[in-house]
Amino acid sequence: MKLYSIYILNKAGGLIYQNNLDPSLNRLTANDYLVLAGTLHGVHAIAAKLTPTIVGKDSTSTTSGTDPTANNALLLSTGKVQNSNTNKTGLGSIETDLFNLYVFQSLTGIKFILITSPNPILQKQHEQASETFRHLYVLYSDYVMKDPFYSLDMPIKSQLFDLKVGELAALV
Amino acid sequence: MIHSFFIFDRHCNCIYSREYTNGDAINKTNDSDTAKLLFGILYSLKNISGKLAHTNDDSGFAPSNNTLKSFTLGTYRAHYLESMTGLKFILVSDTHIDNLQPVLWELYSTHYLKNVVHNGLSPVEFLAENDPYSKISNHNFIVQSDAYIQSLPVYR
């Protein structure tokens, strides 16, 4: 598995970080990247709605945040507002002829997107991708969230984070 | 395990949908929202995959576009095949099935071609929703494609 690109989306679907590690993919304009990020964000939300209806019966995972009375009870008991973006079962991955794309959403709604080389053995690559996501999340927590000059949901400009992501990509 | 099977025509209408949720009990649903959402996702992802990469072989032909093969939605995976005429075949399975491209091709090249395209009584263009001819109602196609899908080792 070879990493082509890494994107990070904030919880509103805005592209806050992109790193094109490999020139195998087409280079798009800055605007197209924003559109791409927005599209993936939208598809993820639609996918979360779609999954229960396809099977109809055993859908317990995605509906947790949708019941208003349960939400209110939670709000009253804990004082915390339920984040509307807690669905974790949206779009997971895309497989195409020339690349695979993986999406991981953190509990806070940040989406990490990996674009990798295609691989016929998907199951193995899924494991590799989730491993990479774990490392990436750790890097994000350490070098972006702990950066005192970083403001939330804004583009990530940290050079240190760039460097660490480069190191991670070299290892994969 | 295979959950459902959809066909969309080139005008984005869902012309066939079948659900295999309960194993034996096959129910034909009239729920068109699922199909619409699925088509919306498919359309966006197809655009993305075409935009992000293309093969640049210098054989003189136009660069062949990158084709979408499958995508996972939570715990399900949708497998996708588009024919040259713009028909879209979608099989929804669980995530453990890696590749159903040969199955989709078989459904198109054997069952669809033989029973729907070669059938003179079947309409060439299926009409929009709420019309009696908006879906494939060909008995042979339904029976044969169901039998084929249910005979697959990955069906259950």
Side-chain angles (χ1 to χ4, degrees), chain B residues 103-145:
Chain B
V103 174
L104 284 164
W105 179 251
E106 177 77 13
L107 281 168
Y108 168 60
S109 64
T110 310
H111 302 286
Y112 183 80
L113 274 189
K114 220 197 243 163
N115 294 315
V116 181
V117 176
H118 293 178
N119 182 349
L121 292 174
S122 169
V124 177
E125 297 282 1
F126 290 90
L127 298 170
E129 256 182 276
N130 308 324
D131 193 276
Y133 297 112
S134 68
K135 291 247 190 306
I136 297 174
S137 49
N138 185 314
H139 180 72
N140 279 353
F141 176 74
I142 295 173
V143 169
Q144 286 181 26
S145 63

Short mmCIF file of all heavy atoms in Angstrom, two decimals, chain B residues 103-145:
data_model
loop_
_atom_site.label_atom_id
_atom_site.label_comp_id
_atom_site.label_asym_id
_atom_site.label_seq_id
_atom_site.Cartn_x
_atom_site.Cartn_y
_atom_site.Cartn_z
N VAL B 103 -19.69 -10.99 -11.07
CA VAL B 103 -21.11 -11.29 -10.87
C VAL B 103 -21.98 -10.23 -11.55
O VAL B 103 -22.95 -10.53 -12.24
CB VAL B 103 -21.43 -11.34 -9.36
CG1 VAL B 103 -22.92 -11.49 -9.13
CG2 VAL B 103 -20.67 -12.47 -8.71
N LEU B 104 -21.58 -8.96 -11.37
CA LEU B 104 -22.33 -7.87 -12.00
C LEU B 104 -22.27 -8.00 -13.52
O LEU B 104 -23.26 -7.78 -14.21
CB LEU B 104 -21.74 -6.53 -11.57
CG LEU B 104 -22.09 -6.09 -10.15
CD1 LEU B 104 -21.17 -4.97 -9.70
CD2 LEU B 104 -23.53 -5.63 -10.09
N TRP B 105 -21.09 -8.38 -14.00
CA TRP B 105 -20.94 -8.54 -15.45
C TRP B 105 -21.82 -9.65 -15.96
O TRP B 105 -22.45 -9.54 -17.02
CB TRP B 105 -19.47 -8.78 -15.79
CG TRP B 105 -19.26 -8.98 -17.25
CD1 TRP B 105 -18.94 -10.13 -17.89
CD2 TRP B 105 -19.40 -7.98 -18.28
NE1 TRP B 105 -18.89 -9.93 -19.23
CE2 TRP B 105 -19.15 -8.61 -19.51
CE3 TRP B 105 -19.72 -6.62 -18.27
CZ2 TRP B 105 -19.22 -7.93 -20.72
CZ3 TRP B 105 -19.78 -5.96 -19.48
CH2 TRP B 105 -19.53 -6.61 -20.68
N GLU B 106 -21.89 -10.73 -15.21
CA GLU B 106 -22.73 -11.87 -15.58
C GLU B 106 -24.21 -11.46 -15.60
O GLU B 106 -24.95 -11.81 -16.51
CB GLU B 106 -22.49 -13.01 -14.58
CG GLU B 106 -23.33 -14.25 -14.78
CD GLU B 106 -22.84 -15.11 -15.93
OE1 GLU B 106 -21.70 -14.87 -16.40
OE2 GLU B 106 -23.59 -16.01 -16.36
N LEU B 107 -24.61 -10.70 -14.58
CA LEU B 107 -26.00 -10.25 -14.52
C LEU B 107 -26.34 -9.39 -15.73
O LEU B 107 -27.42 -9.50 -16.30
CB LEU B 107 -26.23 -9.43 -13.25
CG LEU B 107 -26.43 -10.21 -11.96
CD1 LEU B 107 -26.35 -9.27 -10.76
CD2 LEU B 107 -27.77 -10.91 -11.97
N TYR B 108 -25.39 -8.56 -16.11
CA TYR B 108 -25.62 -7.69 -17.27
C TYR B 108 -25.57 -8.49 -18.57
O TYR B 108 -26.53 -8.48 -19.34
CB TYR B 108 -24.58 -6.57 -17.28
CG TYR B 108 -24.55 -5.79 -18.58
CD1 TYR B 108 -25.68 -5.12 -19.03
CD2 TYR B 108 -23.40 -5.74 -19.36
CE1 TYR B 108 -25.67 -4.42 -20.22
CE2 TYR B 108 -23.38 -5.03 -20.54
CZ TYR B 108 -24.52 -4.37 -20.97
OH TYR B 108 -24.50 -3.69 -22.15
N SER B 109 -24.46 -9.19 -18.77
CA SER B 109 -24.21 -9.78 -20.09
C SER B 109 -25.10 -10.99 -20.36
O SER B 109 -25.48 -11.22 -21.50
CB SER B 109 -22.75 -10.16 -20.22
OG SER B 109 -22.45 -11.16 -19.30
N THR B 110 -25.44 -11.74 -19.33
CA THR B 110 -26.29 -12.90 -19.57
C THR B 110 -27.76 -12.58 -19.33
O THR B 110 -28.58 -12.65 -20.23
CB THR B 110 -25.86 -14.07 -18.66
OG1 THR B 110 -24.47 -14.24 -18.80
CG2 THR B 110 -26.58 -15.33 -19.06
N HIS B 111 -28.06 -12.19 -18.10
CA HIS B 111 -29.47 -12.12 -17.73
C HIS B 111 -30.16 -10.88 -18.29
O HIS B 111 -31.25 -10.97 -18.84
CB HIS B 111 -29.60 -12.17 -16.21
CG HIS B 111 -29.00 -13.41 -15.65
ND1 HIS B 111 -29.60 -14.64 -15.77
CD2 HIS B 111 -27.83 -13.64 -15.02
CE1 HIS B 111 -28.83 -15.56 -15.22
NE2 HIS B 111 -27.74 -14.97 -14.77
N TYR B 112 -29.51 -9.73 -18.16
CA TYR B 112 -30.17 -8.51 -18.65
C TYR B 112 -30.26 -8.50 -20.17
O TYR B 112 -31.31 -8.25 -20.74
CB TYR B 112 -29.41 -7.28 -18.14
CG TYR B 112 -30.08 -5.98 -18.53
CD1 TYR B 112 -31.16 -5.50 -17.82
CD2 TYR B 112 -29.62 -5.26 -19.63
CE1 TYR B 112 -31.79 -4.33 -18.19
CE2 TYR B 112 -30.24 -4.08 -20.01
CZ TYR B 112 -31.33 -3.62 -19.29
OH TYR B 112 -31.95 -2.46 -19.66
N LEU B 113 -29.13 -8.79 -20.82
CA LEU B 113 -29.13 -8.76 -22.29
C LEU B 113 -30.14 -9.74 -22.86
O LEU B 113 -30.94 -9.42 -23.72
CB LEU B 113 -27.74 -9.09 -22.83
CG LEU B 113 -26.74 -7.95 -22.97
CD1 LEU B 113 -25.51 -8.41 -23.71
CD2 LEU B 113 -27.37 -6.76 -23.68
N LYS B 114 -30.12 -10.96 -22.35
CA LYS B 114 -30.96 -12.02 -22.92
C LYS B 114 -32.44 -11.76 -22.69
O LYS B 114 -33.26 -11.92 -23.59
CB LYS B 114 -30.56 -13.35 -22.28
CG LYS B 114 -30.54 -14.50 -23.28
CD LYS B 114 -30.56 -15.79 -22.54
CE LYS B 114 -29.33 -16.61 -22.76
NZ LYS B 114 -29.16 -17.65 -21.75
N ASN B 115 -32.78 -11.33 -21.50
CA ASN B 115 -34.20 -11.25 -21.15
C ASN B 115 -34.83 -9.88 -21.35
O ASN B 115 -36.05 -9.79 -21.51
CB ASN B 115 -34.39 -11.67 -19.69
CG ASN B 115 -34.07 -13.13 -19.49
OD1 ASN B 115 -34.50 -13.96 -20.28
ND2 ASN B 115 -33.31 -13.42 -18.47
N VAL B 116 -34.04 -8.84 -21.30
CA VAL B 116 -34.64 -7.51 -21.42
C VAL B 116 -34.29 -6.86 -22.75
O VAL B 116 -35.17 -6.42 -23.48
CB VAL B 116 -34.19 -6.60 -20.24
CG1 VAL B 116 -34.83 -5.24 -20.35
CG2 VAL B 116 -34.54 -7.25 -18.92
N VAL B 117 -33.00 -6.85 -23.10
CA VAL B 117 -32.61 -6.18 -24.34
C VAL B 117 -33.10 -6.97 -25.56
O VAL B 117 -33.67 -6.40 -26.49
CB VAL B 117 -31.08 -5.99 -24.39
CG1 VAL B 117 -30.67 -5.40 -25.73
CG2 VAL B 117 -30.63 -5.08 -23.28
N HIS B 118 -32.91 -8.28 -25.54
CA HIS B 118 -33.30 -9.10 -26.68
C HIS B 118 -34.81 -9.34 -26.76
O HIS B 118 -35.28 -10.01 -27.66
CB HIS B 118 -32.57 -10.45 -26.65
CG HIS B 118 -31.11 -10.32 -26.86
ND1 HIS B 118 -30.23 -11.39 -26.85
CD2 HIS B 118 -30.34 -9.24 -27.11
CE1 HIS B 118 -29.01 -10.96 -27.06
NE2 HIS B 118 -29.04 -9.66 -27.22
N ASN B 119 -35.52 -8.85 -25.78
CA ASN B 119 -36.95 -9.06 -25.74
C ASN B 119 -37.66 -7.91 -26.46
O ASN B 119 -37.62 -6.77 -26.03
CB ASN B 119 -37.39 -9.13 -24.27
CG ASN B 119 -38.87 -9.39 -24.13
OD1 ASN B 119 -39.61 -9.34 -25.11
ND2 ASN B 119 -39.29 -9.69 -22.92
N GLY B 120 -38.31 -8.24 -27.57
CA GLY B 120 -38.93 -7.19 -28.37
C GLY B 120 -40.10 -6.51 -27.67
O GLY B 120 -40.44 -5.37 -28.00
N LEU B 121 -40.69 -7.17 -26.71
CA LEU B 121 -41.85 -6.58 -26.03
C LEU B 121 -41.45 -5.66 -24.87
O LEU B 121 -42.28 -4.95 -24.34
CB LEU B 121 -42.75 -7.70 -25.49
CG LEU B 121 -43.43 -8.51 -26.57
CD1 LEU B 121 -44.18 -9.67 -25.95
CD2 LEU B 121 -44.38 -7.64 -27.38
N SER B 122 -40.19 -5.72 -24.51
CA SER B 122 -39.74 -4.88 -23.41
C SER B 122 -39.44 -3.48 -23.94
O SER B 122 -38.87 -3.33 -25.00
CB SER B 122 -38.48 -5.50 -22.81
OG SER B 122 -37.88 -4.63 -21.92
N PRO B 123 -39.85 -2.43 -23.22
CA PRO B 123 -39.60 -1.08 -23.73
C PRO B 123 -38.11 -0.76 -23.78
O PRO B 123 -37.34 -1.28 -22.97
CB PRO B 123 -40.31 -0.18 -22.71
CG PRO B 123 -40.47 -0.99 -21.50
CD PRO B 123 -40.56 -2.41 -21.94
N VAL B 124 -37.72 0.04 -24.75
CA VAL B 124 -36.31 0.41 -24.88
C VAL B 124 -35.92 1.36 -23.75
O VAL B 124 -34.90 1.22 -23.10
CB VAL B 124 -36.04 1.06 -26.24
CG1 VAL B 124 -34.59 1.51 -26.34
CG2 VAL B 124 -36.36 0.09 -27.35
N GLU B 125 -36.76 2.36 -23.54
CA GLU B 125 -36.53 3.30 -22.44
C GLU B 125 -37.62 3.08 -21.41
O GLU B 125 -38.80 3.15 -21.73
CB GLU B 125 -36.61 4.74 -22.95
CG GLU B 125 -35.57 5.11 -23.97
CD GLU B 125 -34.22 5.37 -23.35
OE1 GLU B 125 -34.11 5.23 -22.11
OE2 GLU B 125 -33.29 5.69 -24.10
N PHE B 126 -37.20 2.87 -20.18
CA PHE B 126 -38.21 2.75 -19.13
C PHE B 126 -38.65 4.14 -18.73
O PHE B 126 -37.84 5.06 -18.65
CB PHE B 126 -37.65 1.97 -17.95
CG PHE B 126 -37.46 0.53 -18.29
CD1 PHE B 126 -36.27 0.08 -18.83
CD2 PHE B 126 -38.49 -0.37 -18.10
CE1 PHE B 126 -36.10 -1.25 -19.17
CE2 PHE B 126 -38.33 -1.69 -18.43
CZ PHE B 126 -37.13 -2.13 -18.97
N LEU B 127 -39.93 4.30 -18.51
CA LEU B 127 -40.46 5.63 -18.27
C LEU B 127 -40.28 6.05 -16.83
O LEU B 127 -39.86 5.27 -15.99
CB LEU B 127 -41.94 5.67 -18.65
CG LEU B 127 -42.17 5.36 -20.12
CD1 LEU B 127 -43.64 5.16 -20.39
CD2 LEU B 127 -41.64 6.50 -20.99
N ALA B 128 -40.62 7.30 -16.58
CA ALA B 128 -40.42 7.85 -15.25
C ALA B 128 -41.32 7.16 -14.23
O ALA B 128 -42.17 6.35 -14.58
CB ALA B 128 -40.70 9.35 -15.25
N GLU B 129 -41.11 7.48 -13.00
CA GLU B 129 -41.82 6.87 -11.88
C GLU B 129 -43.34 6.93 -12.05
O GLU B 129 -43.86 7.74 -12.80
CB GLU B 129 -41.49 7.66 -10.62
CG GLU B 129 -40.50 6.98 -9.71
CD GLU B 129 -40.30 7.83 -8.48
OE1 GLU B 129 -39.49 8.75 -8.53
OE2 GLU B 129 -41.01 7.57 -7.51
N ASN B 130 -44.04 6.12 -11.32
CA ASN B 130 -45.51 6.09 -11.27
C ASN B 130 -46.14 5.69 -12.59
O ASN B 130 -47.30 5.94 -12.85
CB ASN B 130 -46.09 7.45 -10.84
CG ASN B 130 -45.47 7.93 -9.56
OD1 ASN B 130 -45.17 7.11 -8.68
ND2 ASN B 130 -45.24 9.20 -9.46
N ASP B 131 -45.37 5.09 -13.45
CA ASP B 131 -45.89 4.61 -14.72
C ASP B 131 -45.83 3.09 -14.68
O ASP B 131 -44.91 2.53 -14.10
CB ASP B 131 -45.02 5.16 -15.85
CG ASP B 131 -45.67 4.96 -17.19
OD1 ASP B 131 -45.53 3.86 -17.76
OD2 ASP B 131 -46.34 5.90 -17.64
N PRO B 132 -46.81 2.40 -15.29
CA PRO B 132 -46.74 0.93 -15.25
C PRO B 132 -45.47 0.37 -15.91
O PRO B 132 -45.06 -0.74 -15.58
CB PRO B 132 -48.00 0.51 -16.00
CG PRO B 132 -48.56 1.74 -16.62
CD PRO B 132 -48.07 2.88 -15.82
N TYR B 133 -44.86 1.12 -16.82
CA TYR B 133 -43.65 0.60 -17.47
C TYR B 133 -42.37 1.20 -16.90
O TYR B 133 -41.36 1.28 -17.57
CB TYR B 133 -43.71 0.88 -18.97
CG TYR B 133 -44.87 0.18 -19.63
CD1 TYR B 133 -45.94 0.89 -20.13
CD2 TYR B 133 -44.89 -1.21 -19.70
CE1 TYR B 133 -47.01 0.25 -20.71
CE2 TYR B 133 -45.96 -1.86 -20.27
CZ TYR B 133 -47.02 -1.13 -20.77
OH TYR B 133 -48.08 -1.77 -21.33
N SER B 134 -42.43 1.64 -15.63
CA SER B 134 -41.25 2.30 -15.08
C SER B 134 -40.23 1.31 -14.53
O SER B 134 -39.11 1.68 -14.25
CB SER B 134 -41.66 3.27 -13.98
OG SER B 134 -42.13 2.55 -12.88
N LYS B 135 -40.62 0.07 -14.35
CA LYS B 135 -39.69 -0.91 -13.80
C LYS B 135 -39.62 -2.13 -14.72
O LYS B 135 -40.55 -2.40 -15.48
CB LYS B 135 -40.17 -1.38 -12.42
CG LYS B 135 -40.09 -0.31 -11.35
CD LYS B 135 -39.06 -0.70 -10.34
CE LYS B 135 -39.01 0.15 -9.09
NZ LYS B 135 -38.88 1.54 -9.18
N ILE B 136 -38.54 -2.86 -14.61
CA ILE B 136 -38.45 -4.12 -15.34
C ILE B 136 -39.41 -5.10 -14.70
O ILE B 136 -39.31 -5.40 -13.51
CB ILE B 136 -37.03 -4.69 -15.27
CG1 ILE B 136 -36.05 -3.73 -15.96
CG2 ILE B 136 -36.95 -6.06 -15.92
CD1 ILE B 136 -34.61 -4.16 -15.83
N SER B 137 -40.39 -5.57 -15.47
CA SER B 137 -41.34 -6.51 -14.88
C SER B 137 -41.27 -7.86 -15.60
O SER B 137 -42.17 -8.69 -15.46
CB SER B 137 -42.75 -5.92 -14.96
OG SER B 137 -43.00 -5.46 -16.27
N ASN B 138 -40.20 -8.06 -16.34
CA ASN B 138 -40.03 -9.28 -17.11
C ASN B 138 -39.85 -10.48 -16.17
O ASN B 138 -38.92 -10.54 -15.38
CB ASN B 138 -38.78 -9.09 -17.98
CG ASN B 138 -38.55 -10.23 -18.91
OD1 ASN B 138 -38.62 -11.38 -18.51
ND2 ASN B 138 -38.26 -9.91 -20.15
N HIS B 139 -40.76 -11.43 -16.30
CA HIS B 139 -40.77 -12.56 -15.37
C HIS B 139 -39.48 -13.37 -15.44
O HIS B 139 -38.88 -13.72 -14.42
CB HIS B 139 -41.97 -13.45 -15.68
CG HIS B 139 -42.07 -14.64 -14.77
ND1 HIS B 139 -42.43 -14.52 -13.45
CD2 HIS B 139 -41.83 -15.95 -15.00
CE1 HIS B 139 -42.41 -15.72 -12.90
NE2 HIS B 139 -42.06 -16.60 -13.81
N ASN B 140 -39.04 -13.66 -16.69
CA ASN B 140 -37.84 -14.47 -16.84
C ASN B 140 -36.62 -13.80 -16.22
O ASN B 140 -35.79 -14.46 -15.59
CB ASN B 140 -37.55 -14.71 -18.34
CG ASN B 140 -38.38 -15.83 -18.87
OD1 ASN B 140 -39.07 -16.50 -18.11
ND2 ASN B 140 -38.35 -16.01 -20.17
N PHE B 141 -36.53 -12.50 -16.43
CA PHE B 141 -35.38 -11.78 -15.87
C PHE B 141 -35.37 -11.88 -14.35
O PHE B 141 -34.36 -12.16 -13.74
CB PHE B 141 -35.39 -10.32 -16.31
CG PHE B 141 -34.30 -9.51 -15.69
CD1 PHE B 141 -32.98 -9.67 -16.11
CD2 PHE B 141 -34.56 -8.61 -14.67
CE1 PHE B 141 -31.96 -8.93 -15.53
CE2 PHE B 141 -33.54 -7.87 -14.09
CZ PHE B 141 -32.24 -8.04 -14.52
N ILE B 142 -36.54 -11.65 -13.77
CA ILE B 142 -36.63 -11.66 -12.30
C ILE B 142 -36.27 -13.04 -11.76
O ILE B 142 -35.44 -13.17 -10.86
CB ILE B 142 -38.04 -11.24 -11.85
CG1 ILE B 142 -38.31 -9.79 -12.26
CG2 ILE B 142 -38.19 -11.38 -10.35
CD1 ILE B 142 -39.72 -9.33 -12.02
N VAL B 143 -36.87 -14.07 -12.35
CA VAL B 143 -36.64 -15.42 -11.86
C VAL B 143 -35.18 -15.83 -12.04
O VAL B 143 -34.53 -16.34 -11.11
CB VAL B 143 -37.58 -16.41 -12.58
CG1 VAL B 143 -37.17 -17.83 -12.28
CG2 VAL B 143 -39.01 -16.16 -12.16
N GLN B 144 -34.64 -15.56 -13.24
CA GLN B 144 -33.28 -16.03 -13.52
C GLN B 144 -32.23 -15.26 -12.72
O GLN B 144 -31.27 -15.85 -12.21
CB GLN B 144 -32.98 -15.91 -15.01
CG GLN B 144 -33.69 -16.98 -15.81
CD GLN B 144 -33.37 -16.86 -17.29
OE1 GLN B 144 -32.33 -16.36 -17.67
NE2 GLN B 144 -34.29 -17.32 -18.12
N SER B 145 -32.40 -13.93 -12.61
CA SER B 145 -31.39 -13.18 -11.87
C SER B 145 -31.46 -13.52 -10.38
O SER B 145 -30.43 -13.63 -9.71
CB SER B 145 -31.53 -11.67 -12.10
OG SER B 145 -32.77 -11.22 -11.62
#
